[in-house]
Amino acid sequence: MASPKVLTFGKTQIYLVFLSLIRTFAPMFTGSILLFALLMAPDDADTIRTERIDEVIVTSNSARQRLQSVQAGAEQLQLKELTTAPQLFGETDIMRSIQLLPGIKAESDASSSFQVRGGTSAQNLVLFDNSPVYNVGHLAGLFSAFNNDALAGATLYKGLLPAQYGGASSAVLDISGRTGDKQQWHGGATIGLLSAKGTIEGPIVKDKLSFLVTARRTYLDAFLKLSDDFKDNTLYFYDVNTKIDWTVTPHDQLFLSFFTGYDRTALQDMIDIRWRNLTGSLKWLHHFHGGSNAQTTLLYSSYENNDGVDFMGLNLWYKGHIRQASFRQDFNFSLGRHELKAGLQSSLLNVKSAEWQVLSTYEKEQRRAWENAVWLNTTLKPFERLTATAGLRLSTFSPLGGSLYYDISPQGEIDWYYSYKKNKIVKTHIVWEPRVSFNFSLTPTLNVKAAYARMSQNIHALRNQSTSTPFDRYTISSNIVKPEIADQISAGIFFVTPDETYDFSIEGYYRKIDNVLDYRDGKTFRSEIEIERLILPGDGKAYGVEFLARKNNGRFTGWLGYTLSWSKACIDGINGGRWYDANNDRRHDINLVAMYRLTRRWNLSAAWVFNSGQAFTAPSGKYQMIDNWIYYYAERNGYRAPDYHRLDVSAVWSKRYRRTTHEWVFGIYNLYNRYNPFLINFEDGEQGAGTRAVQYSLFGIVPSVSFNINF
């Protein structure tokens, strides 16, 4: 395939529906934020500004712990020890913090989702207290779905998973919710430009039973009602976390965790977009003598979207959902120098790929499945310098009857219908997933790590663009759709200075993916209700090298990360059967993060981000049919968007009083006001003469301020 081409773009910006509202009611603030349903401005529009700021985090595990960790490609994040520098709108945001690590990429300016080592965000699994969460953002991704006040810590596995994790072909982010204090009452509140949140925790029965409740909500809808221009628009989200921790006996604990979040974005009678996350878990933890334990968990997860569009000739009402109920049993045995983990999980899934009404046509596709897995994972230390983990996971996935299944012709037409009785097993996909990781100590400060893992995934997301939206369609493995299977190998060298002030690493990886899915040429998410008519399976591969240098001690800390990577796909029937760059292929990624403790009360931070332009598909030609111009596409993802880069800075002032802590957070997102590409559209000239690519951007320079109080 020829080298990707770089297009020259016309310049324009995206206008946000509440821009003038913010300027009317808060003239001291120059910004505004993204409304998912957006209005396009003319080419000569003035520059706009939006409220947003990013911050950075440091991993709490020490340099020595990172060196000695046997699990390759794992990043441990302990939120209690994060830097005080803020993120988006003055909030510490775990999702945007993760995007600053090497090998990890943000989907876009306005996305909380992340991509790992050539995979898409749909190939990641995000767990909150063991329950999967399928939409990790609010307001189209400007805010993370997770309130940092409800979080205790997290571990990100970059494709090299221990055997107890499954259901993802790229990466797993395992987030633990915080439990309430069993000794004293605590609380806190944050007031920002666009949202407010509060936390309360404490003992119900001292030393035995505690609770934690956190809640967050935007108040943009209240401002909208005060404006004659925007009173018919709606824009808000909320989320609530609760957790109860009960020490039943000295050896037994019960944990009840609940999380829900809801978003709604409505633009008069044109667009109404709603989505909801809901998770719950009940865990019984039993401690055996000698440090071993067993965990029995009941899980429930639900993601639902309900969208309506009547805009630019599109009249569509669209719904979908993913619902999962699971039983999980874990055993963790401590055997001296060795550890052994074993377990099983059984889940029932209900996935509505689409339910829509286009004008007067109503259609629906919904399927159910039964998924099971057993695993065994052990950590060994055969001799002093070598530590290893080895595991094996057996996954089975059985689509169930009660809805129609098909045979599909090479042209995408239905050859045959199958109707099975409800709950009858249609087919069972069985995948063996071995995982192994080694850590060999060459010297006390220099280690070599290597790993191999096979992962499988049975819930597939289909999208027409490189970023996730509420209009993504989901489907599951079926009689003809096979599980997505990824094999990844990696190896690296890790070095730490004797005083642990600096540590360095270089790690290379290669990832091969079978049964990766993509849309057929000319098909979109709403072309057909039967999603198997829209897609084709094929092969994918991703490979690259990650460099990281950290400074860990002193008043000045931070890191420099660089990733050189490739991500490609080859699908018979797309791009002439030739390999092509995937939507998320970006050659270079640089993250430079710096934090400085100026005084006891002031902390400063800055982050500079650079990404190569993403691959995208541009028309090769066009022809006229009656009164319409039809674009012709000869090559998939043969062009490159412009490079992306920005600089964020922030300052945090905090003071501890007798019973409270006050904190002011100031920041500027995109300090030098660069308009980065978010959307690329193609426009015809007058009478169809000529075609030009037009770049749309979201954010210029964005100031932000917030106030936090904790007691």
Side-chain angles (χ1 to χ4, degrees):
M1 186 177 72
S3 300
K5 297 161 277 291
V6 178
L7 295 183
T8 302
F9 299 91
K11 184 179 180 181
T12 187
Q13 286 83 39
I14 293 178
Y15 265 57
L16 312 182
V17 69
F18 45 86
L19 171 62
S20 62
L21 174 67
I22 297 296
R23 290 179 174 171
T24 300
F25 291 100
M28 71 288 294
F29 304 129
T30 59
S32 60
I33 67 167
L34 168 68
L35 175 62
F36 187 86
L38 46 84
L39 298 176
M40 300 300 180
D43 289 345
D44 58 353
D46 293 334
T47 298
I48 65 169
R49 303 184 181 191
T50 54
E51 294 298 341
R52 174 183 167 190
I53 183 164
D54 277 3
E55 67 108 33
V56 297
I57 66 168
V58 292
T59 55
S60 71
N61 53 326
S62 69
R64 182 70 59 181
Q65 289 172 319
R66 289 194 294 271
L67 180 75
Q68 295 175 348
S69 172
V70 65
Q71 189 63 48
E75 294 283 351
Q76 296 182 2
L77 312 172
Q78 300 296 325
L79 277 79
K80 287 185 178 180
E81 301 176 17
L82 298 185
T83 176
T84 55
Q87 271 214 16
L88 188 61
F89 305 114
E91 292 192 30
T92 302
D93 188 327
I94 185 174
M95 306 308 294
R96 294 186 177 276
S97 299
I98 286 172
Q99 294 170 2
L100 293 173
L101 298 173
I104 302 168
K105 307 173 183 180
E107 280 189 326
S108 69
D109 244 358
S111 177
S112 293
S113 298
F114 58 95
Q115 303 169 341
V116 179
R117 291 185 171 178
T120 69
S121 62
Q123 294 170 322
N124 300 330
L125 178 64
V126 178
L127 300 173
F128 181 72
D129 280 343
N130 286 329
S131 295
V133 179
Y134 293 99
N135 190 322
V136 296
H138 288 303
L139 293 184
L142 288 181
F143 287 80
S144 167
F146 303 108
N147 184 341
N148 67 289
D149 291 340
L151 309 183
T155 302
L156 174 69
Y157 298 95
K158 295 189 289 188
L160 299 161
L161 313 179
Q164 60 266 33
Y165 295 101
S169 59
S170 183
V172 169
L173 175 62
D174 188 359
I175 303 174
S176 300
R178 191 163 64 88
T179 58
D181 194 321
K182 293 180 180 178
Q183 299 290 327
Q184 296 179 329
W185 288 79
H186 300 281
T190 298
I191 299 176
L193 298 180
L194 302 172
S195 67
K197 62 180 181 178
T199 303
I200 187 73
E201 63 175 297
I204 300 174
V205 178
K206 195 170 184 179
D207 297 327
K208 297 283 289 185
L209 180 63
S210 69
F211 80 98
L212 170 77
V213 177
T214 67
R216 180 173 54 161
R217 194 189 192 281
T218 54
Y219 31 72
L220 285 170
D221 51 326
F223 289 120
L224 292 173
K225 300 301 180 186
L226 300 177
S227 169
D228 291 336
D229 294 332
F230 304 114
K231 63 182 180 180
D232 295 326
N233 300 320
T234 301
L235 179 70
Y236 73 91
F237 76 82
Y238 68 81
D239 54 51
V240 178
N241 291 83
T242 63
K243 193 162 186 177
I244 295 175
D245 175 6
W246 180 20
T247 302
V248 183
T249 73
H251 297 285
D252 296 278
Q253 281 181 279
L254 286 177
F255 300 90
L256 178 62
S257 177
F258 171 81
F259 159 68
T260 186
Y262 179 78
D263 280 74
R264 187 180 180 195
T265 300
L267 178 59
Q268 295 182 353
D269 296 327
M270 290 188 292
I271 297 175
D272 193 347
I273 301 172
R274 314 178 193 193
W275 67 91
R276 179 190 300 275
N277 283 307
L278 174 67
T279 70
S281 65
L282 176 62
K283 181 172 72 173
W284 170 35
L285 173 61
H286 177 75
H287 297 273
F288 300 102
H289 294 289
S292 301
N293 64 73
Q295 300 178 32
T296 304
T297 312
L298 298 177
L299 307 168
Y300 179 77
S301 172
S302 173
Y303 165 65
E304 300 181 2
N305 63 290
N306 188 347
D307 310 320
V309 178
D310 188 359
F311 183 60
M312 298 180 66
L314 176 63
N315 188 305
L316 169 67
W317 166 70
Y318 166 76
K319 295 176 67 176
H321 69 235
I322 304 174
R323 296 170 183 163
Q324 178 176 336
S326 303
F327 168 81
R328 180 183 176 105
Q329 180 65 57
D330 291 89
F331 296 98
N332 303 303
F333 300 104
S334 179
L335 307 173
R337 299 176 63 183
H338 309 303
E339 295 179 358
L340 180 65
K341 297 179 183 289
L344 60 90
Q345 181 166 330
S346 183
S347 304
L348 288 175
L349 291 97
N350 186 321
V351 177
K352 182 187 290 183
S353 170
E355 179 182 3
W356 61 41
Q357 184 171 340
V358 182
L359 299 176
S360 59
T361 302
Y362 171 83
E363 295 178 297
K364 175 182 175 181
E365 181 174 78
Q366 183 172 336
R367 287 177 178 170
R368 299 168 61 251
W370 184 28
E371 186 173 28
N372 295 279
V374 294
W375 60 84
L376 184 68
N377 200 85
T378 183
T379 300
L380 305 170
K381 196 170 180 64
F383 54 91
E384 189 62 32
R385 291 192 174 188
L386 178 64
T387 306
T389 65
L392 182 63
R393 182 182 181 93
L394 172 62
S395 300
T396 68
F397 189 88
S398 303
L400 301 176
S403 56
L404 290 176
Y405 291 83
Y406 322 102
D407 282 339
I408 305 296
S409 71
Q411 293 74 34
E413 300 300 325
I414 297 176
D415 280 344
W416 198 261
Y417 290 91
Y418 298 95
S419 180
Y420 296 87
K421 292 182 179 180
K422 188 175 182 180
N423 296 328
K424 180 178 175 59
I425 293 178
V426 176
K427 185 175 182 178
T428 298
H429 301 279
I430 301 174
V431 182
W432 292 92
E433 304 177 32
R435 288 97 183 266
V436 62
S437 185
F438 299 95
N439 184 342
F440 184 77
S441 178
L442 297 175
T443 73
T445 60
L446 180 64
N447 285 19
V448 175
K449 298 183 184 182
Y452 163 78
R454 166 170 285 193
M455 301 85 69
S456 68
Q457 181 172 339
N458 288 286
I459 299 178
H460 315 278
L462 280 301
R463 55 183 59 148
N464 286 88
Q465 62 291 319
S466 60
T467 59
S468 54
T469 74
F471 288 94
D472 293 343
R473 287 189 66 178
Y474 291 86
T475 190
I476 58 176
S477 300
S478 65
N479 60 318
I480 56 177
V481 175
K482 298 179 181 179
E484 193 171 285
I485 300 174
D487 292 276
Q488 183 177 180
I489 58 173
S490 75
I493 299 175
F494 300 79
F495 171 77
V496 60
T497 57
D499 61 357
E500 301 185 28
T501 297
Y502 299 93
D503 67 280
F504 307 89
S505 66
I506 176 171
E507 189 172 5
Y509 66 89
Y510 182 87
R511 180 168 170 262
K512 178 180 178 296
I513 313 102
D514 296 328
N515 307 319
V516 65
L517 301 177
D518 204 347
Y519 278 108
R520 295 173 181 264
D521 288 335
K523 297 293 186 178
T524 67
F525 83 99
R526 63 187 182 92
S527 298
E528 312 287 351
I529 191 66
E530 301 90 2
I531 197 168
E532 289 151 328
R533 298 178 60 186
L534 309 179
I535 57 177
L536 288 172
D539 299 324
K541 61 183 178 182
Y543 49 94
V545 182
E546 301 167 1
F547 303 86
L548 181 63
R550 301 182 194 246
K551 185 177 185 296
N552 305 300
N553 302 327
R555 299 176 68 177
F556 178 81
T557 59
W559 67 82
L560 171 64
Y562 169 68
T563 303
L564 174 66
S565 62
W566 291 260
S567 180
K568 298 178 179 292
C570 182
I571 300 176
D572 189 21
I574 298 176
N575 201 54
R578 304 183 305 273
W579 285 95
Y580 61 91
D581 292 335
N583 286 344
N584 61 326
D585 180 80
R586 296 200 306 238
R587 195 67 63 242
H588 306 282
D589 284 84
I590 301 174
N591 295 299
L592 177 60
V593 177
M595 292 161 285
Y596 184 69
R597 189 174 69 253
L598 183 63
T599 68
R600 183 168 56 92
R601 294 179 180 172
W602 281 99
N603 286 278
L604 310 178
S605 69
W608 185 71
V609 177
F610 173 89
N611 303 321
S612 296
Q614 291 196 166
F616 72 97
T617 303
S620 303
K622 62 181 180 180
Y623 56 91
Q624 189 173 19
M625 181 176 292
I626 309 178
D627 294 329
N628 297 318
W629 287 97
I630 309 298
Y631 289 123
Y632 169 70
Y633 299 89
E635 185 178 18
R636 182 72 63 98
N637 294 338
Y639 293 81
R640 290 282 171 179
D643 295 336
Y644 176 106
H645 55 86
R646 72 173 197 270
L647 174 65
D648 308 332
V649 296
S650 64
V652 179
W653 177 91
S654 61
K655 184 176 181 180
R656 174 71 181 176
Y657 294 90
R658 184 176 179 183
R659 295 186 177 181
T660 63
T661 299
H662 295 181
E663 184 178 81
W664 282 96
V665 179
F666 307 92
I668 301 176
Y669 171 90
N670 197 358
L671 181 65
Y672 51 79
N673 196 36
R674 174 178 170 82
Y675 281 94
N676 286 297
F678 175 73
L679 175 68
I680 296 172
N681 195 27
F682 296 93
E683 298 180 358
D684 293 322
E686 189 174 351
Q687 304 296 323
T691 301
R692 66 169 185 163
V694 180
Q695 171 186 307
Y696 293 96
S697 302
L698 289 180
F699 302 114
I701 186 171
V702 183
S704 181
V705 61
S706 67
F707 175 72
N708 306 320
I709 183 170
N710 293 282
F711 62 88

